[in-house]
Amino acid sequence: MSFDFFPSRTLTLYLAKMFSLRILAVLVMLVLVLMMLDLLSTSGEILAVEGNSEADLWRYASLRVPLLIQRFLPYSVLLATIITLVTLNQNSEVIAMKASGLSAHQVLAPLIMTALVVSIATFAFNERVVTRAASELNVWEASEFGALSQAEETRGSIYLVDGSDILTARGYEANGPAPRLTDVTFYRRSPSGEIVQQIDAPLAVRGNDGWAMQTPQVFTVGTASTTLPDELIVAPGITPAQIELASVDPAAQPFWQLDGSIDAYRAAGRDTGELEANYWHKISGPLSAMLMPILGAVAGFGLARSGQLFVRAVTGMFLGFAYFVIDNAALAMGDFGGYPPFLAAWAPFFLFLLIGETVLVRTEE
């Protein structure tokens, strides 16, 4: 019996190439189908906005496809594992490899290494492409698919409280000589919580004393009157730093920037559990692709003529999908403090690594 981790170079390349092509084929199929379904439900909303055209549908697809790839690449690796191993089993190639002295782990080694390469590529893709697409898509959706500012940094859906008053805005632009809010509404409230004034303005610029609302429209509830001053200062207690902290989206920030956001949250005395769980999941998520060949390995062994090949394939799929369910549940628990962030991100990975290894060793080794 050979004690090398990999089989021969020829066999390693053969298995790696077969596995890679199946990952690509399954991923393309899943992304195309899901993108078409997504467009069917969203295209009407996009085209309903005045000025939008077919080009905006392509723009939406270009932003949405990276998110679909991020979400479904591990599923593609799982399905490709099962398809590859079932094919090898049906053609008696697994039997031939084991008869030549290869262990189950040596048969899986090219698949695991291919999945590891996929994991590394996924991490780089997520941090360089997906974060930018998620950030732009979030702002575009917040503007209800309307025209976006060309500012370098924008954020959407601002909602902050200044004492008893409330400030809302559709967008925030951090570049330029001063931070700016767009489509702003400010609610002055009495100490009892009743709205006494509603102030609307297309733009508010941060100054030394607060946010200067440009050409505001002031509606006073008590007198039911409307005034149109040239400028009005509101919300002196709301700073740009508070807005930036309030609009941190872990999916839209790269790994190296999210660490800084966590430090800022901690310095401000805010709960960092959700950000920390997503921080660690940026590593464990892509690495889950390497786990799929181990979880799906049960489909590749055993005699094809025994009639249990279908049962083994279903078992491999069950183990893989169980991992994704528990991983999402653990991450949700970590977001609201049910689990420590590090445990929420990594516990499912190591748990199913042990389960997959146990099944593989007890059945094949």
Side-chain angles (χ1 to χ4, degrees):
M1 176 180 289
S2 173
F3 290 96
D4 294 332
F5 181 69
F6 289 101
S8 67
R9 181 177 182 274
T10 301
L11 186 56
T12 298
L13 294 176
Y14 169 72
L15 293 175
K17 180 180 177 181
M18 176 187 294
F19 188 42
S20 301
L21 291 176
R22 281 161 175 73
I23 292 174
L24 181 61
V26 173
L27 180 63
V28 170
M29 178 190 69
L30 286 176
V31 170
L32 285 178
V33 171
L34 293 169
M35 189 66 248
M36 286 189 293
L37 294 175
D38 195 335
L39 281 174
L40 285 175
S41 63
T42 313
S43 57
E45 185 179 354
I46 296 174
L47 294 177
V49 178
E50 184 178 357
N52 283 357
S53 63
E54 183 182 345
D56 293 280
L57 295 180
W58 284 107
R59 178 187 182 189
Y60 176 79
S62 69
L63 297 175
R64 188 69 176 143
V65 164
L67 302 180
L68 293 176
I69 293 175
Q70 176 196 35
R71 178 176 293 273
F72 290 101
L73 184 55
Y75 292 91
S76 301
V77 177
L78 172 65
L79 295 176
T81 297
I82 294 173
I83 293 171
T84 300
L85 292 178
V86 166
T87 302
L88 292 173
N89 198 343
Q90 285 182 323
N91 295 333
S92 299
E93 292 175 272
V94 172
I95 295 176
M97 286 185 278
K98 295 191 73 175
S100 67
L102 297 179
S103 68
H105 283 89
Q106 287 174 308
V107 174
L108 291 176
L111 277 63
I112 294 173
M113 289 305 299
T114 301
L116 178 60
V117 172
V118 170
S119 296
I120 296 172
T122 300
F123 177 80
F125 178 78
N126 291 348
E127 301 311 304
R128 299 299 300 175
V129 178
V130 175
T131 52
R132 297 177 183 180
S135 178
E136 185 174 346
L137 186 59
N138 288 343
V139 174
W140 197 25
E141 289 179 338
S143 68
E144 298 177 356
F145 301 108
L148 288 178
S149 167
Q150 297 300 314
E152 294 180 3
E153 184 176 356
T154 62
R155 301 172 190 264
S157 303
I158 309 300
Y159 181 97
L160 289 170
V161 176
D162 181 29
S164 60
D165 302 330
I166 299 173
L167 177 70
T168 68
R170 178 169 292 180
Y172 170 72
E173 301 174 4
N175 66 321
R180 300 187 301 171
L181 294 170
T182 56
D183 293 338
V184 189
T185 300
F186 183 75
Y187 299 95
R188 293 192 192 275
R189 298 196 299 178
S190 66
S192 61
E194 298 177 351
I195 296 176
V196 296
Q197 276 188 337
Q198 177 179 329
I199 308 170
D200 298 292
L203 180 68
V205 180
R206 178 66 185 183
N208 294 329
D209 301 324
W211 295 90
M213 301 182 73
Q214 309 297 309
T215 62
Q217 177 178 308
V218 183
F219 176 75
T220 304
V221 175
T223 59
S225 60
T226 301
T227 58
L228 302 171
D230 294 332
E231 186 177 280
L232 190 64
I233 305 297
V234 300
I238 296 177
T239 65
Q242 288 177 302
I243 294 175
E244 292 173 6
L245 286 178
S247 56
V248 170
D249 181 5
Q253 282 202 354
F255 182 77
W256 50 89
Q257 289 184 8
L258 188 56
D259 189 33
S261 297
I262 292 172
D263 291 338
Y265 260 59
R266 190 177 291 113
R270 301 181 61 175
D271 179 44
T272 62
E274 179 180 358
L275 295 184
E276 288 186 68
N278 283 274
Y279 175 82
W280 289 113
H281 197 262
K282 283 179 175 288
I283 301 175
S284 64
L287 202 59
S288 65
M290 192 184 72
L291 193 60
M292 295 303 108
I294 299 174
L295 296 180
V298 66
F301 301 98
L303 295 176
R305 62 176 180 273
S306 67
Q308 296 183 350
L309 185 57
F310 177 76
V311 175
R312 284 174 169 268
V314 171
T315 302
M317 292 182 64
F318 172 78
L319 287 174
F321 284 107
Y323 166 78
F324 294 119
V325 171
I326 293 178
D327 181 57
N328 289 330
L331 188 61
M333 292 285 287
D335 286 348
F336 65 79
Y339 288 163
F342 184 85
L343 185 65
W346 285 104
F349 178 86
F350 288 110
L351 173 63
F352 276 84
L353 178 61
L354 291 175
I355 291 174
E357 280 293 328
T358 300
V359 171
L360 184 60
V361 170
R362 291 184 63 88
T363 58
E364 299 302 329
E365 299 285 19

